């Protein structure tokens, strides 16, 4: 699967601790070899969105994804307590 990371998500990743960044990178690497989002057990489609948004759970962080024809775009990497506020800003 093709995984693109937008500028906002790159900034989010840069702000993380080394340990958290490593976990996020590991999850993104797993996404590249996944056949589809359904094959990853920790990905859930977000309800109430105009776009096909998904959430990948990893520890205390959530990776916000937008599904495309060729793969996914990483929109944001946020702490789980802030994920829904970030989602609402994107709509």
């Amino acid at each position: 699967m093709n995984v693109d990371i937008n500028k906002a998500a790159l900034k989010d990743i840069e702000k993380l601790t080394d340990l958290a960044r490593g976990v996020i990178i590991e999850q993104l690497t797993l996404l590249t070899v996944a056949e589809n989002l359904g094959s990853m057990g920790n990905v859930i489609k977000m309800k109430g969105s105009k776009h096909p948004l998904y959430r990948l759970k990893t520890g205390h962080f959530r990776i916000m994804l937008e599904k495309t024809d060729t793969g996914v775009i990483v929109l944001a990497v946020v702490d789980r307590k802030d994920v829904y506020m970030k989602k609402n800003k994107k709509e």
Side-chain angles (χ1 to χ4, degrees):
M1 177 182 304
N2 185 32
V3 178
D4 294 320
I5 304 173
N6 72 11
K7 288 181 183 180
L10 279 175
K11 287 182 182 180
D12 291 340
I13 293 169
E14 289 172 357
K15 293 177 189 175
L16 300 175
T17 64
D18 290 341
L19 179 62
R21 189 179 309 119
V23 172
I24 298 299
I25 291 171
E26 181 181 331
Q27 288 296 315
L28 295 177
T29 302
L30 290 174
L31 262 179
T32 63
V33 296
E35 291 181 25
N36 56 48
L37 290 175
S39 66
M40 298 206 44
N42 51 354
V43 176
I44 296 174
K45 185 171 183 178
M46 301 291 288
K47 295 180 182 178
S49 176
K50 297 176 186 177
H51 304 286
L53 295 180
Y54 291 81
R55 177 199 74 206
L56 171 64
K57 290 177 22 174
T58 177
H60 287 281
F61 294 93
R62 303 299 182 256
I63 303 171
M64 302 297 294
L65 307 168
E66 182 175 352
K67 188 174 180 182
T68 65
D69 293 337
T70 59
V72 294
I73 300 171
V74 179
L75 300 175
V77 178
V78 293
D79 192 286
R80 67 182 181 188
K81 66 182 178 191
D82 301 325
V83 71
Y84 298 105
M85 288 186 286
K86 192 97 170 184
K87 178 187 116 14
N88 290 333
K89 288 181 182 178
K90 297 289 181 194
E91 292 184 20

